[in-house]
Amino acid sequence: RFASTKVDGYDDRTDEYKGQHMTDKQHQWLINRLDYLRGLKSPSEQQRLLLLLGDKATRTPQESKTLTLLINAERSAIKAQEARAKVTNLIQAEKRAAAKEKRKARDHALYQSAGLLIMAGLVDSQSGKPSDNAAALLGALSSLNDLPRDNPKWQEWKIKGEALLEQKRIKE
């Protein structure tokens, strides 16, 4: 090139647009991005134009300006995609934490139920095994569950249970 051509702030002698020269790092980013885009099955129209202009050895001032704008758009698209991924990861982490809390609360309730069986003397606190035959214990509990809730026995058991729980609280 012998003569300098400036159009809309672009100087073709220095490959500068509005005083900004493409650094080696920016040029390497463009090369890497073009390689990535070539591997896509269906790049967008902007990405196809970026490939076309990025591969050109010599560009008109307008093409260089368009290339700069396409590079900026592609970088913005990458940042937006990364932001969406971060949000998705954050939402998933929150869901996992909520599920973990739910499991933790369920496990706590199960341990408390096991504690009631220990307090009643139906389960050994050291081994965690039923004090008597497991089948007999299950049968007794199943028969208990079959008893209608309005049966007066339930009120008797409630009073006895409250007393046992109170004794446990006093010991602690």
Side-chain angles (χ1 to χ4, degrees):
R1 300 178 207 173
F2 297 104
S4 170
T5 307
K6 285 190 174 186
V7 175
D8 290 335
Y10 176 77
D11 185 344
D12 66 352
R13 286 180 306 168
T14 58
D15 198 25
E16 289 182 358
Y17 175 69
K18 293 193 178 183
Q20 295 179 345
H21 182 67
M22 190 180 288
T23 65
D24 289 339
K25 185 177 178 181
Q26 291 169 330
H27 186 67
Q28 189 59 47
W29 179 90
L30 179 60
I31 290 169
N32 292 340
R33 193 64 185 170
L34 292 176
D35 287 342
Y36 169 78
L37 294 176
R38 281 186 201 95
L40 294 179
K41 287 183 181 179
S42 53
S44 69
E45 186 176 338
Q46 280 186 332
Q47 290 170 333
R48 285 192 297 274
L49 186 54
L50 180 61
L51 279 166
L52 181 72
L53 292 177
D55 286 336
K56 259 187 148 180
T58 56
R59 292 180 285 276
T60 66
Q62 184 59 42
E63 289 172 336
S64 292
K65 181 179 178 182
T66 302
L67 178 63
T68 300
L69 293 172
L70 287 169
I71 289 170
N72 291 340
E74 188 67 16
R75 285 181 183 221
S76 295
I78 292 168
K79 286 180 182 178
Q81 184 178 14
E82 289 170 353
R84 282 190 299 276
K86 285 180 182 180
V87 167
T88 300
N89 289 339
L90 179 65
I91 291 169
Q92 291 302 319
E94 289 173 354
K95 285 181 181 179
R96 282 190 302 272
K100 184 178 180 179
E101 276 302 310
K102 192 175 180 180
R103 277 192 314 276
K104 188 176 177 181
R106 179 185 174 274
D107 290 349
H108 183 69
L110 287 171
Y111 290 132
Q112 286 179 324
S113 297
L116 295 174
L117 292 172
I118 291 169
M119 284 178 68
L122 298 172
V123 173
D124 179 44
S125 65
Q126 298 301 312
S127 68
K129 294 181 180 178
S131 300
D132 294 308
N133 181 288
L137 176 61
L138 180 59
L141 292 172
S142 179
S143 295
L144 175 69
N145 190 45
D146 290 342
L147 193 63
R149 296 300 189 259
D150 60 355
N151 187 307
K153 270 300 207 190
W154 281 101
Q155 189 59 34
E156 287 178 40
W157 293 330
K158 180 181 177 194
I159 292 168
K160 185 175 182 179
E162 287 172 345
L164 288 170
L165 287 171
E166 188 59 34
Q167 283 177 357
K168 184 179 186 304
R169 282 190 199 106
I170 291 171
K171 287 181 182 178
E172 291 178 347

